[in-house]
Structure formats: C-alpha cells, structure tokens
Amino acid sequence: MKTQTKENPLGTRPINQLLQQFAVPSIIAMLVSALYNIVDQFFIGRSVGALGNAATNVAFPLSISCVAIALLFGIGGASAFNLTMGQGKKDEAIHYVGTSATMLFGCGLVLLMITQLFLDPLLKLFGSPDNVLEYARTYTRITSIGFPFLIIATGGGHLIRADGSPRYTMVCNLIGAVINTILDAVFVFGFNMGMAGAALATIIGQFVSGAMAIHYLYHYKTAKITKDILIPRKKYVTKIMSLGAAPCINQLSMMIVQIVMNQSLTYYGALSVYGASVPLACVGIITKISQLFFAFIIGLSQGLQPIVSFNYGAKKYIRVKNAYLKAILYGFIMSFIAFLTFQVFPRQIITLFGNGSEEYYQFAIKYFRVFLFFTFANFCQPITSNFFTAIGKPKKGIFLSLTRQIIFFLPLLIILPMIMGIDGILYVGPIADCSAAIVCAIMILIELRKKEYNQTEPKLAPNTP
C-alpha cells in the first residue's frame, strides 16, 4: 500500500505539472460542452430569430438538470475512487466507477421519459410565453432523446479523468461538438430545418460523445469493470451521492434560479419598454456566453479534484494546500480577463447572434455590464466548493454551492424587481456574486489555517551505503 501511494504521480509530480495535465483537458472539455449550446444559439439566432433564441432559454433548465445528474454521479464517483485509491484500496475503488456509470445512464433514461410525458407543462413552468412555446416544444422534444448520452458523456468524463486519461475526455467532447457544429450548418442553413435541425445536430453529437465514453469505461485502465461491478449497491451509491451532492445541488440551484429568472423576465419585461420576449432572448444568449467563462473555472476545479482527493487520502496536506492556492490564482486571472471582455465588448458579442431592435441591444448591454460586474470574483465559489467535496467534506461543499444561487440570488430575484421593475433583475447578479465570494473566502481561510496544512512534510532519510 505504501509503494502504491508513493509511486502514483498524483502524490509525487510537481503541482503545476499535474494541474496542466488534468485541468487543461478539463477546461477544453468544458468549453466544448458549452459550445453545444452556443452553436445552437448562433445558428438559431441567424435563421429563426429572437423567438428561437428565447425558446432555447426556456429549454435550458433541462440541460442544467442533465449536468446536475452528471456531476452527482460523475464527480461523486471520481472523488470516491481517488480518495479510496489514495488509501491503497484498489479493489474497492473500482466499484465506485461501475456504480456511477450505471446510475448516470439510468437517470438519463428516467429524465428522457419525464420530459416526453410532461413536455408542455414543463415548458410553461420554465417561463415560455405563448409566442415561444411552439419553438421550445419542437427543440426540446428532440434534444431530450439525447439526455442519456449527454449525461454519460459529461459524468463519464470525470470517471475517465480519475483513471488518468483527461485527454480522452477532451477528445470525446471535442468530436461531439465538431459534429454538432457541422450538422447545425447542414440542417439549419442547408436543409432549412430551423429548430428541429439544430436539435437533431445536437443529439447526434451527443450520441457519438456518449458512445466514446462508454467504450472507454468498458476498457478502464485501473481495473476491469465487470457486470457485477456495474450493479449499484447501497453503500457505494450513498458515498458517491454524498461526495457529488455539492456540485449537483449547485446545478439544481441554477435550474431553480433559471426557472424563476425566466418567469421574472417574461412578467417584468412585459411591463417595460422591452416587452416579454426581448429580455428572455437576451438573457438566454448572455447566459450561454457566460458559460464559456465558467468553462474555464469549472474545468480548473475539475482538474484540481483528483490531485486534491488523492493527496488528502495519502495525508499529503501541504500538496493539497499548494494545489488549491495555485488553482485559485489561475482562476482569478481567467475571471479578470472575462470581466474586462464583458465590460468592453458587450455589443460586439451580442451582435454575433443575430440582429435585433435598439431596445434589444440596450437591454443586452446593460445586462452584460451590470449583472456580470463581479465576474472577476466568480472563480472562488466553484473551486472552493469542489475542494471541500474532494477532501471528503461534502457538507461544507454543499453549503458553499447553495450560497450564491439559493441563499443570496433567489431572494434578491424575488425582492428587487418588485421595487425596481426589470432593472432590479440586473442588480441581483453583482450583489449575490460579491456576497458568495465573501462567505467562500472566510470558510477557506478557516480550513487552511488548520495545523496539518502548515506543517513541513518530513523528508525521506537518505539511503545509507
């Protein structure tokens, strides 16, 4: 057991090299995943128009729910696997991978059936105005078919990364996105299929990515995944869900907020000069664009996970602290670049996704500059929440995942528009972002002041002749 822990590169290789090895492919994989929605938004905006963009925003909560399931069993399974491997328990560790894979695909099938059976009530719940409903119905009925493959590709990527193959995860997502982009152009512009064409291109790309993930899991490097290992068992499911709860709850919180946001944009937009559909369309586009920024931060936090989990399990606490601090530094740099981009080039960005009225551009520019003002501080919460999950402290991770979306954002989203109208929605973002960052900074300072993170690791005695 000692030999395995010592020789594993997660416990010996320089932190910067490990972050580059695991985080860069993770970032690329997350960017590619974000491009699925961005590409659809681009082609739909230029063919169908603002109502089509509003429709994809209405359907977005279902995409978030797919990511929530993927993170619950993907990050949860990967964290359990790496923690157990750090303790030298290889035979037990592989059960977490098999259980996670089964739960990922199974939950995807359940979500598919729920969506098909209750499509119209769900879309109305998500805030669809009457003039957007038909577009949203067409798009969502098709894209829901790809849910099982989207979830296994996204969640399975974490399991593949935990096996020491982050580049394969990147390739899975990259191939799916390239297929989606090419087919979007063919179906939407070439065959003039509109919303249906964009949806069909999306699920074909997801089928390919999901199939590649399944193929890798069948040939897992650490140990062979047999049929017996694929059977879910309570003790494995429980630990996986406890470790994956924080990122999952964060996504579910985003879904709840997105639903309330859509309802608020429709209601207060109708009472303003913008109308009901303009704010809905603008926010749909800007949300997808901000996902590109978050792809860097989430990818960085995912790349940090196996490094932190293994070294914490191996009791190498100095390496755990150094890995976190380096991730925070890189996260700040990425966030500040995104902040400058959103403040300086809002009109140029929104113009890429089709033309609109002057009110359309006016609202979009205000939303970029006000709602996303504290983008430079948004790196802290995802990285820190995932850090606590990775070291086996899911309750703290869950609490941090709730701070921005549920504790701060949701109450403000209800209260401020009642006072300020549609402009109140704009100020919800910066207030929630700043408050969440402060709470996050306090919690991580308390954690890193513990003595185990500040003791010099003993050096190995030199070999004697």
Side-chain angles (χ1 to χ4, degrees), residues 338-370:
F339 163 75
L340 291 177
T341 303
F342 295 157
Q343 293 297 313
V344 177
F345 304 110
R347 190 180 184 101
Q348 291 86 339
I349 295 172
I350 202 71
T351 304
L352 294 173
F353 298 88
N355 298 319
S357 62
E358 189 54 38
E359 289 81 11
Y360 173 86
Y361 287 115
Q362 181 184 354
F363 184 84
I365 291 170
K366 284 178 65 177
Y367 194 89
F368 261 119
R369 288 179 171 162
V370 178

PDB file of all heavy atoms in Angstrom, residues 338-370:
ATOM      1  N   ALA A 338     -12.208  37.696 -18.300  1.00  0.00           N
ATOM      2  CA  ALA A 338     -13.618  37.639 -18.685  1.00  0.00           C
ATOM      3  C   ALA A 338     -14.339  38.924 -18.296  1.00  0.00           C
ATOM      4  O   ALA A 338     -15.156  39.449 -19.065  1.00  0.00           O
ATOM      5  CB  ALA A 338     -14.289  36.435 -18.022  1.00  0.00           C
ATOM      6  N   PHE A 339     -14.045  39.458 -17.104  1.00  0.00           N
ATOM      7  CA  PHE A 339     -14.648  40.709 -16.651  1.00  0.00           C
ATOM      8  C   PHE A 339     -14.365  41.848 -17.632  1.00  0.00           C
ATOM      9  O   PHE A 339     -15.286  42.586 -18.029  1.00  0.00           O
ATOM     10  CB  PHE A 339     -14.103  41.054 -15.260  1.00  0.00           C
ATOM     11  CG  PHE A 339     -14.325  42.478 -14.845  1.00  0.00           C
ATOM     12  CD1 PHE A 339     -15.579  42.916 -14.439  1.00  0.00           C
ATOM     13  CD2 PHE A 339     -13.277  43.392 -14.873  1.00  0.00           C
ATOM     14  CE1 PHE A 339     -15.788  44.232 -14.056  1.00  0.00           C
ATOM     15  CE2 PHE A 339     -13.481  44.710 -14.499  1.00  0.00           C
ATOM     16  CZ  PHE A 339     -14.737  45.133 -14.092  1.00  0.00           C
ATOM     17  N   LEU A 340     -13.123  41.992 -18.048  1.00  0.00           N
ATOM     18  CA  LEU A 340     -12.762  43.050 -18.994  1.00  0.00           C
ATOM     19  C   LEU A 340     -13.490  42.869 -20.328  1.00  0.00           C
ATOM     20  O   LEU A 340     -13.972  43.839 -20.929  1.00  0.00           O
ATOM     21  CB  LEU A 340     -11.252  43.065 -19.223  1.00  0.00           C
ATOM     22  CG  LEU A 340     -10.383  43.507 -18.038  1.00  0.00           C
ATOM     23  CD1 LEU A 340      -8.899  43.405 -18.401  1.00  0.00           C
ATOM     24  CD2 LEU A 340     -10.724  44.930 -17.614  1.00  0.00           C
ATOM     25  N   THR A 341     -13.585  41.624 -20.784  1.00  0.00           N
ATOM     26  CA  THR A 341     -14.257  41.352 -22.058  1.00  0.00           C
ATOM     27  C   THR A 341     -15.726  41.738 -22.006  1.00  0.00           C
ATOM     28  O   THR A 341     -16.248  42.387 -22.926  1.00  0.00           O
ATOM     29  CB  THR A 341     -14.132  39.855 -22.408  1.00  0.00           C
ATOM     30  OG1 THR A 341     -12.745  39.485 -22.454  1.00  0.00           O
ATOM     31  CG2 THR A 341     -14.772  39.560 -23.764  1.00  0.00           C
ATOM     32  N   PHE A 342     -16.412  41.352 -20.930  1.00  0.00           N
ATOM     33  CA  PHE A 342     -17.842  41.653 -20.809  1.00  0.00           C
ATOM     34  C   PHE A 342     -18.108  43.150 -20.665  1.00  0.00           C
ATOM     35  O   PHE A 342     -19.135  43.657 -21.114  1.00  0.00           O
ATOM     36  CB  PHE A 342     -18.436  40.915 -19.606  1.00  0.00           C
ATOM     37  CG  PHE A 342     -18.421  39.420 -19.747  1.00  0.00           C
ATOM     38  CD1 PHE A 342     -18.461  38.608 -18.614  1.00  0.00           C
ATOM     39  CD2 PHE A 342     -18.371  38.812 -20.987  1.00  0.00           C
ATOM     40  CE1 PHE A 342     -18.463  37.220 -18.729  1.00  0.00           C
ATOM     41  CE2 PHE A 342     -18.363  37.430 -21.118  1.00  0.00           C
ATOM     42  CZ  PHE A 342     -18.402  36.638 -19.986  1.00  0.00           C
ATOM     43  N   GLN A 343     -17.184  43.873 -20.040  1.00  0.00           N
ATOM     44  CA  GLN A 343     -17.381  45.308 -19.832  1.00  0.00           C
ATOM     45  C   GLN A 343     -17.071  46.125 -21.086  1.00  0.00           C
ATOM     46  O   GLN A 343     -17.710  47.148 -21.339  1.00  0.00           O
ATOM     47  CB  GLN A 343     -16.504  45.792 -18.673  1.00  0.00           C
ATOM     48  CG  GLN A 343     -16.878  45.248 -17.311  1.00  0.00           C
ATOM     49  CD  GLN A 343     -18.265  45.684 -16.865  1.00  0.00           C
ATOM     50  OE1 GLN A 343     -18.619  46.854 -16.958  1.00  0.00           O
ATOM     51  NE2 GLN A 343     -19.064  44.746 -16.387  1.00  0.00           N
ATOM     52  N   VAL A 344     -16.118  45.673 -21.882  1.00  0.00           N
ATOM     53  CA  VAL A 344     -15.644  46.471 -23.010  1.00  0.00           C
ATOM     54  C   VAL A 344     -16.362  46.139 -24.322  1.00  0.00           C
ATOM     55  O   VAL A 344     -16.613  47.021 -25.141  1.00  0.00           O
ATOM     56  CB  VAL A 344     -14.121  46.285 -23.187  1.00  0.00           C
ATOM     57  CG1 VAL A 344     -13.616  47.049 -24.410  1.00  0.00           C
ATOM     58  CG2 VAL A 344     -13.376  46.755 -21.938  1.00  0.00           C
ATOM     59  N   PHE A 345     -16.730  44.867 -24.524  1.00  0.00           N
ATOM     60  CA  PHE A 345     -17.247  44.447 -25.833  1.00  0.00           C
ATOM     61  C   PHE A 345     -18.657  43.847 -25.799  1.00  0.00           C
ATOM     62  O   PHE A 345     -18.937  42.878 -26.512  1.00  0.00           O
ATOM     63  CB  PHE A 345     -16.295  43.428 -26.465  1.00  0.00           C
ATOM     64  CG  PHE A 345     -14.882  43.901 -26.601  1.00  0.00           C
ATOM     65  CD1 PHE A 345     -13.884  43.343 -25.815  1.00  0.00           C
ATOM     66  CD2 PHE A 345     -14.542  44.894 -27.508  1.00  0.00           C
ATOM     67  CE1 PHE A 345     -12.559  43.767 -25.930  1.00  0.00           C
ATOM     68  CE2 PHE A 345     -13.230  45.332 -27.633  1.00  0.00           C
ATOM     69  CZ  PHE A 345     -12.245  44.770 -26.845  1.00  0.00           C
ATOM     70  N   PRO A 346     -19.588  44.369 -25.015  1.00  0.00           N
ATOM     71  CA  PRO A 346     -20.905  43.719 -24.935  1.00  0.00           C
ATOM     72  C   PRO A 346     -21.688  43.749 -26.246  1.00  0.00           C
ATOM     73  O   PRO A 346     -22.282  42.737 -26.642  1.00  0.00           O
ATOM     74  CB  PRO A 346     -21.620  44.509 -23.836  1.00  0.00           C
ATOM     75  CG  PRO A 346     -20.944  45.831 -23.800  1.00  0.00           C
ATOM     76  CD  PRO A 346     -19.515  45.551 -24.137  1.00  0.00           C
ATOM     77  N   ARG A 347     -21.715  44.898 -26.935  1.00  0.00           N
ATOM     78  CA  ARG A 347     -22.496  44.993 -28.173  1.00  0.00           C
ATOM     79  C   ARG A 347     -21.906  44.107 -29.266  1.00  0.00           C
ATOM     80  O   ARG A 347     -22.637  43.451 -30.022  1.00  0.00           O
ATOM     81  CB  ARG A 347     -22.565  46.442 -28.658  1.00  0.00           C
ATOM     82  CG  ARG A 347     -23.569  46.626 -29.804  1.00  0.00           C
ATOM     83  CD  ARG A 347     -23.655  48.065 -30.293  1.00  0.00           C
ATOM     84  NE  ARG A 347     -24.687  48.206 -31.310  1.00  0.00           N
ATOM     85  CZ  ARG A 347     -25.894  48.701 -31.091  1.00  0.00           C
ATOM     86  NH1 ARG A 347     -26.218  49.118 -29.886  1.00  0.00           N
ATOM     87  NH2 ARG A 347     -26.773  48.793 -32.082  1.00  0.00           N
ATOM     88  N   GLN A 348     -20.577  44.073 -29.362  1.00  0.00           N
ATOM     89  CA  GLN A 348     -19.939  43.237 -30.376  1.00  0.00           C
ATOM     90  C   GLN A 348     -20.267  41.762 -30.155  1.00  0.00           C
ATOM     91  O   GLN A 348     -20.463  41.009 -31.120  1.00  0.00           O
ATOM     92  CB  GLN A 348     -18.423  43.446 -30.357  1.00  0.00           C
ATOM     93  CG  GLN A 348     -17.975  44.819 -30.834  1.00  0.00           C
ATOM     94  CD  GLN A 348     -17.972  45.867 -29.735  1.00  0.00           C
ATOM     95  OE1 GLN A 348     -18.645  45.711 -28.708  1.00  0.00           O
ATOM     96  NE2 GLN A 348     -17.207  46.928 -29.928  1.00  0.00           N
ATOM     97  N   ILE A 349     -20.316  41.344 -28.878  1.00  0.00           N
ATOM     98  CA  ILE A 349     -20.611  39.938 -28.575  1.00  0.00           C
ATOM     99  C   ILE A 349     -22.049  39.603 -28.934  1.00  0.00           C
ATOM    100  O   ILE A 349     -22.324  38.590 -29.605  1.00  0.00           O
ATOM    101  CB  ILE A 349     -20.357  39.648 -27.079  1.00  0.00           C
ATOM    102  CG1 ILE A 349     -18.872  39.809 -26.746  1.00  0.00           C
ATOM    103  CG2 ILE A 349     -20.812  38.233 -26.733  1.00  0.00           C
ATOM    104  CD1 ILE A 349     -18.571  39.734 -25.262  1.00  0.00           C
ATOM    105  N   ILE A 350     -22.999  40.431 -28.526  1.00  0.00           N
ATOM    106  CA  ILE A 350     -24.410  40.120 -28.747  1.00  0.00           C
ATOM    107  C   ILE A 350     -24.764  40.154 -30.231  1.00  0.00           C
ATOM    108  O   ILE A 350     -25.654  39.439 -30.690  1.00  0.00           O
ATOM    109  CB  ILE A 350     -25.315  41.083 -27.941  1.00  0.00           C
ATOM    110  CG1 ILE A 350     -26.703  40.474 -27.725  1.00  0.00           C
ATOM    111  CG2 ILE A 350     -25.433  42.420 -28.608  1.00  0.00           C
ATOM    112  CD1 ILE A 350     -26.726  39.334 -26.768  1.00  0.00           C
ATOM    113  N   THR A 351     -24.037  40.962 -31.016  1.00  0.00           N
ATOM    114  CA  THR A 351     -24.306  41.067 -32.452  1.00  0.00           C
ATOM    115  C   THR A 351     -23.993  39.769 -33.184  1.00  0.00           C
ATOM    116  O   THR A 351     -24.563  39.494 -34.248  1.00  0.00           O
ATOM    117  CB  THR A 351     -23.488  42.230 -33.060  1.00  0.00           C
ATOM    118  OG1 THR A 351     -23.794  43.440 -32.361  1.00  0.00           O
ATOM    119  CG2 THR A 351     -23.807  42.429 -34.527  1.00  0.00           C
ATOM    120  N   LEU A 352     -23.103  38.956 -32.643  1.00  0.00           N
ATOM    121  CA  LEU A 352     -22.757  37.687 -33.283  1.00  0.00           C
ATOM    122  C   LEU A 352     -23.953  36.751 -33.411  1.00  0.00           C
ATOM    123  O   LEU A 352     -23.973  35.871 -34.275  1.00  0.00           O
ATOM    124  CB  LEU A 352     -21.652  36.981 -32.479  1.00  0.00           C
ATOM    125  CG  LEU A 352     -20.279  37.663 -32.425  1.00  0.00           C
ATOM    126  CD1 LEU A 352     -19.374  36.914 -31.453  1.00  0.00           C
ATOM    127  CD2 LEU A 352     -19.660  37.712 -33.818  1.00  0.00           C
ATOM    128  N   PHE A 353     -24.962  36.957 -32.565  1.00  0.00           N
ATOM    129  CA  PHE A 353     -26.083  36.016 -32.504  1.00  0.00           C
ATOM    130  C   PHE A 353     -27.350  36.568 -33.169  1.00  0.00           C
ATOM    131  O   PHE A 353     -28.463  36.222 -32.800  1.00  0.00           O
ATOM    132  CB  PHE A 353     -26.362  35.640 -31.048  1.00  0.00           C
ATOM    133  CG  PHE A 353     -25.197  34.955 -30.397  1.00  0.00           C
ATOM    134  CD1 PHE A 353     -24.202  35.692 -29.778  1.00  0.00           C
ATOM    135  CD2 PHE A 353     -25.068  33.582 -30.452  1.00  0.00           C
ATOM    136  CE1 PHE A 353     -23.109  35.067 -29.203  1.00  0.00           C
ATOM    137  CE2 PHE A 353     -23.979  32.950 -29.886  1.00  0.00           C
ATOM    138  CZ  PHE A 353     -22.995  33.695 -29.258  1.00  0.00           C
ATOM    139  N   GLY A 354     -27.167  37.418 -34.178  1.00  0.00           N
ATOM    140  CA  GLY A 354     -28.304  37.935 -34.923  1.00  0.00           C
ATOM    141  C   GLY A 354     -28.620  39.376 -34.560  1.00  0.00           C
ATOM    142  O   GLY A 354     -28.101  39.933 -33.591  1.00  0.00           O
ATOM    143  N   ASN A 355     -29.458  39.982 -35.377  1.00  0.00           N
ATOM    144  CA  ASN A 355     -29.830  41.378 -35.182  1.00  0.00           C
ATOM    145  C   ASN A 355     -31.089  41.508 -34.338  1.00  0.00           C
ATOM    146  O   ASN A 355     -31.848  40.556 -34.167  1.00  0.00           O
ATOM    147  CB  ASN A 355     -30.038  42.046 -36.548  1.00  0.00           C
ATOM    148  CG  ASN A 355     -28.766  42.055 -37.380  1.00  0.00           C
ATOM    149  OD1 ASN A 355     -27.685  42.300 -36.860  1.00  0.00           O
ATOM    150  ND2 ASN A 355     -28.903  41.785 -38.678  1.00  0.00           N
ATOM    151  N   GLY A 356     -31.304  42.706 -33.814  1.00  0.00           N
ATOM    152  CA  GLY A 356     -32.495  42.974 -33.016  1.00  0.00           C
ATOM    153  C   GLY A 356     -32.789  44.455 -32.996  1.00  0.00           C
ATOM    154  O   GLY A 356     -32.068  45.262 -33.606  1.00  0.00           O
ATOM    155  N   SER A 357     -33.822  44.830 -32.283  1.00  0.00           N
ATOM    156  CA  SER A 357     -34.203  46.234 -32.167  1.00  0.00           C
ATOM    157  C   SER A 357     -33.207  46.968 -31.274  1.00  0.00           C
ATOM    158  O   SER A 357     -32.348  46.359 -30.617  1.00  0.00           O
ATOM    159  CB  SER A 357     -35.605  46.340 -31.570  1.00  0.00           C
ATOM    160  OG  SER A 357     -35.617  45.788 -30.255  1.00  0.00           O
ATOM    161  N   GLU A 358     -33.333  48.302 -31.249  1.00  0.00           N
ATOM    162  CA  GLU A 358     -32.452  49.084 -30.388  1.00  0.00           C
ATOM    163  C   GLU A 358     -32.696  48.751 -28.923  1.00  0.00           C
ATOM    164  O   GLU A 358     -31.763  48.749 -28.112  1.00  0.00           O
ATOM    165  CB  GLU A 358     -32.671  50.577 -30.627  1.00  0.00           C
ATOM    166  CG  GLU A 358     -31.649  51.466 -29.938  1.00  0.00           C
ATOM    167  CD  GLU A 358     -30.202  51.100 -30.286  1.00  0.00           C
ATOM    168  OE1 GLU A 358     -29.923  50.742 -31.452  1.00  0.00           O
ATOM    169  OE2 GLU A 358     -29.356  51.166 -29.369  1.00  0.00           O
ATOM    170  N   GLU A 359     -33.949  48.443 -28.546  1.00  0.00           N
ATOM    171  CA  GLU A 359     -34.261  48.017 -27.169  1.00  0.00           C
ATOM    172  C   GLU A 359     -33.554  46.706 -26.833  1.00  0.00           C
ATOM    173  O   GLU A 359     -33.099  46.501 -25.706  1.00  0.00           O
ATOM    174  CB  GLU A 359     -35.768  47.857 -26.992  1.00  0.00           C
ATOM    175  CG  GLU A 359     -36.558  49.153 -26.971  1.00  0.00           C
ATOM    176  CD  GLU A 359     -36.816  49.687 -28.364  1.00  0.00           C
ATOM    177  OE1 GLU A 359     -36.571  48.950 -29.339  1.00  0.00           O
ATOM    178  OE2 GLU A 359     -37.267  50.841 -28.473  1.00  0.00           O
ATOM    179  N   TYR A 360     -33.469  45.834 -27.818  1.00  0.00           N
ATOM    180  CA  TYR A 360     -32.782  44.548 -27.666  1.00  0.00           C
ATOM    181  C   TYR A 360     -31.312  44.770 -27.293  1.00  0.00           C
ATOM    182  O   TYR A 360     -30.803  44.194 -26.331  1.00  0.00           O
ATOM    183  CB  TYR A 360     -32.927  43.777 -28.979  1.00  0.00           C
ATOM    184  CG  TYR A 360     -32.158  42.485 -29.087  1.00  0.00           C
ATOM    185  CD1 TYR A 360     -32.693  41.292 -28.615  1.00  0.00           C
ATOM    186  CD2 TYR A 360     -30.899  42.439 -29.692  1.00  0.00           C
ATOM    187  CE1 TYR A 360     -31.994  40.088 -28.739  1.00  0.00           C
ATOM    188  CE2 TYR A 360     -30.198  41.257 -29.820  1.00  0.00           C
ATOM    189  CZ  TYR A 360     -30.755  40.078 -29.346  1.00  0.00           C
ATOM    190  OH  TYR A 360     -30.073  38.904 -29.466  1.00  0.00           O
ATOM    191  N   TYR A 361     -30.628  45.631 -28.043  1.00  0.00           N
ATOM    192  CA  TYR A 361     -29.218  45.918 -27.764  1.00  0.00           C
ATOM    193  C   TYR A 361     -29.054  46.675 -26.444  1.00  0.00           C
ATOM    194  O   TYR A 361     -28.105  46.436 -25.690  1.00  0.00           O
ATOM    195  CB  TYR A 361     -28.612  46.725 -28.912  1.00  0.00           C
ATOM    196  CG  TYR A 361     -28.392  45.916 -30.161  1.00  0.00           C
ATOM    197  CD1 TYR A 361     -29.097  46.208 -31.321  1.00  0.00           C
ATOM    198  CD2 TYR A 361     -27.486  44.866 -30.193  1.00  0.00           C
ATOM    199  CE1 TYR A 361     -28.908  45.465 -32.482  1.00  0.00           C
ATOM    200  CE2 TYR A 361     -27.290  44.111 -31.344  1.00  0.00           C
ATOM    201  CZ  TYR A 361     -28.004  44.423 -32.486  1.00  0.00           C
ATOM    202  OH  TYR A 361     -27.818  43.678 -33.624  1.00  0.00           O
ATOM    203  N   GLN A 362     -29.970  47.576 -26.160  1.00  0.00           N
ATOM    204  CA  GLN A 362     -29.887  48.358 -24.935  1.00  0.00           C
ATOM    205  C   GLN A 362     -29.945  47.462 -23.702  1.00  0.00           C
ATOM    206  O   GLN A 362     -29.129  47.592 -22.776  1.00  0.00           O
ATOM    207  CB  GLN A 362     -31.027  49.386 -24.906  1.00  0.00           C
ATOM    208  CG  GLN A 362     -31.016  50.282 -23.671  1.00  0.00           C
ATOM    209  CD  GLN A 362     -32.220  51.228 -23.629  1.00  0.00           C
ATOM    210  OE1 GLN A 362     -32.993  51.294 -24.578  1.00  0.00           O
ATOM    211  NE2 GLN A 362     -32.370  51.934 -22.521  1.00  0.00           N
ATOM    212  N   PHE A 363     -30.907  46.521 -23.689  1.00  0.00           N
ATOM    213  CA  PHE A 363     -31.030  45.631 -22.543  1.00  0.00           C
ATOM    214  C   PHE A 363     -29.826  44.701 -22.441  1.00  0.00           C
ATOM    215  O   PHE A 363     -29.305  44.456 -21.339  1.00  0.00           O
ATOM    216  CB  PHE A 363     -32.319  44.807 -22.641  1.00  0.00           C
ATOM    217  CG  PHE A 363     -32.561  43.930 -21.446  1.00  0.00           C
ATOM    218  CD1 PHE A 363     -33.165  44.451 -20.311  1.00  0.00           C
ATOM    219  CD2 PHE A 363     -32.155  42.603 -21.427  1.00  0.00           C
ATOM    220  CE1 PHE A 363     -33.370  43.660 -19.191  1.00  0.00           C
ATOM    221  CE2 PHE A 363     -32.362  41.807 -20.319  1.00  0.00           C
ATOM    222  CZ  PHE A 363     -32.983  42.332 -19.195  1.00  0.00           C
ATOM    223  N   ALA A 364     -29.374  44.181 -23.581  1.00  0.00           N
ATOM    224  CA  ALA A 364     -28.245  43.252 -23.572  1.00  0.00           C
ATOM    225  C   ALA A 364     -26.980  43.902 -23.017  1.00  0.00           C
ATOM    226  O   ALA A 364     -26.253  43.305 -22.211  1.00  0.00           O
ATOM    227  CB  ALA A 364     -27.998  42.730 -24.983  1.00  0.00           C
ATOM    228  N   ILE A 365     -26.702  45.140 -23.434  1.00  0.00           N
ATOM    229  CA  ILE A 365     -25.501  45.829 -22.972  1.00  0.00           C
ATOM    230  C   ILE A 365     -25.586  46.116 -21.474  1.00  0.00           C
ATOM    231  O   ILE A 365     -24.610  45.913 -20.721  1.00  0.00           O
ATOM    232  CB  ILE A 365     -25.309  47.135 -23.771  1.00  0.00           C
ATOM    233  CG1 ILE A 365     -24.939  46.804 -25.216  1.00  0.00           C
ATOM    234  CG2 ILE A 365     -24.216  47.998 -23.141  1.00  0.00           C
ATOM    235  CD1 ILE A 365     -24.964  47.999 -26.148  1.00  0.00           C
ATOM    236  N   LYS A 366     -26.746  46.549 -21.002  1.00  0.00           N
ATOM    237  CA  LYS A 366     -26.916  46.802 -19.565  1.00  0.00           C
ATOM    238  C   LYS A 366     -26.746  45.509 -18.771  1.00  0.00           C
ATOM    239  O   LYS A 366     -26.124  45.502 -17.699  1.00  0.00           O
ATOM    240  CB  LYS A 366     -28.307  47.390 -19.299  1.00  0.00           C
ATOM    241  CG  LYS A 366     -28.453  48.865 -19.677  1.00  0.00           C
ATOM    242  CD  LYS A 366     -29.858  49.371 -19.432  1.00  0.00           C
ATOM    243  CE  LYS A 366     -30.220  49.372 -17.960  1.00  0.00           C
ATOM    244  NZ  LYS A 366     -31.568  49.940 -17.726  1.00  0.00           N
ATOM    245  N   TYR A 367     -27.270  44.414 -19.290  1.00  0.00           N
ATOM    246  CA  TYR A 367     -27.184  43.131 -18.582  1.00  0.00           C
ATOM    247  C   TYR A 367     -25.730  42.680 -18.473  1.00  0.00           C
ATOM    248  O   TYR A 367     -25.287  42.215 -17.420  1.00  0.00           O
ATOM    249  CB  TYR A 367     -28.024  42.084 -19.316  1.00  0.00           C
ATOM    250  CG  TYR A 367     -28.283  40.835 -18.513  1.00  0.00           C
ATOM    251  CD1 TYR A 367     -29.395  40.747 -17.670  1.00  0.00           C
ATOM    252  CD2 TYR A 367     -27.435  39.740 -18.587  1.00  0.00           C
ATOM    253  CE1 TYR A 367     -29.631  39.605 -16.932  1.00  0.00           C
ATOM    254  CE2 TYR A 367     -27.670  38.592 -17.856  1.00  0.00           C
ATOM    255  CZ  TYR A 367     -28.774  38.524 -17.030  1.00  0.00           C
ATOM    256  OH  TYR A 367     -29.008  37.383 -16.301  1.00  0.00           O
ATOM    257  N   PHE A 368     -24.991  42.800 -19.568  1.00  0.00           N
ATOM    258  CA  PHE A 368     -23.567  42.446 -19.538  1.00  0.00           C
ATOM    259  C   PHE A 368     -22.837  43.249 -18.466  1.00  0.00           C
ATOM    260  O   PHE A 368     -22.105  42.685 -17.638  1.00  0.00           O
ATOM    261  CB  PHE A 368     -22.929  42.737 -20.897  1.00  0.00           C
ATOM    262  CG  PHE A 368     -22.793  41.532 -21.795  1.00  0.00           C
ATOM    263  CD1 PHE A 368     -23.439  41.503 -23.016  1.00  0.00           C
ATOM    264  CD2 PHE A 368     -22.017  40.457 -21.429  1.00  0.00           C
ATOM    265  CE1 PHE A 368     -23.315  40.400 -23.857  1.00  0.00           C
ATOM    266  CE2 PHE A 368     -21.882  39.347 -22.254  1.00  0.00           C
ATOM    267  CZ  PHE A 368     -22.535  39.331 -23.477  1.00  0.00           C
ATOM    268  N   ARG A 369     -23.006  44.562 -18.477  1.00  0.00           N
ATOM    269  CA  ARG A 369     -22.174  45.429 -17.646  1.00  0.00           C
ATOM    270  C   ARG A 369     -22.593  45.469 -16.187  1.00  0.00           C
ATOM    271  O   ARG A 369     -21.750  45.652 -15.302  1.00  0.00           O
ATOM    272  CB  ARG A 369     -22.179  46.848 -18.240  1.00  0.00           C
ATOM    273  CG  ARG A 369     -21.377  46.918 -19.534  1.00  0.00           C
ATOM    274  CD  ARG A 369     -21.385  48.294 -20.148  1.00  0.00           C
ATOM    275  NE  ARG A 369     -20.432  48.348 -21.271  1.00  0.00           N
ATOM    276  CZ  ARG A 369     -20.459  49.288 -22.207  1.00  0.00           C
ATOM    277  NH1 ARG A 369     -21.366  50.261 -22.158  1.00  0.00           N
ATOM    278  NH2 ARG A 369     -19.569  49.263 -23.178  1.00  0.00           N
ATOM    279  N   VAL A 370     -23.880  45.300 -15.918  1.00  0.00           N
ATOM    280  CA  VAL A 370     -24.357  45.361 -14.532  1.00  0.00           C
ATOM    281  C   VAL A 370     -24.435  43.962 -13.925  1.00  0.00           C
ATOM    282  O   VAL A 370     -23.815  43.700 -12.874  1.00  0.00           O
ATOM    283  CB  VAL A 370     -25.734  46.057 -14.457  1.00  0.00           C
ATOM    284  CG1 VAL A 370     -26.243  46.059 -13.014  1.00  0.00           C
ATOM    285  CG2 VAL A 370     -25.646  47.481 -14.986  1.00  0.00           C
TER     286      VAL A 370
END
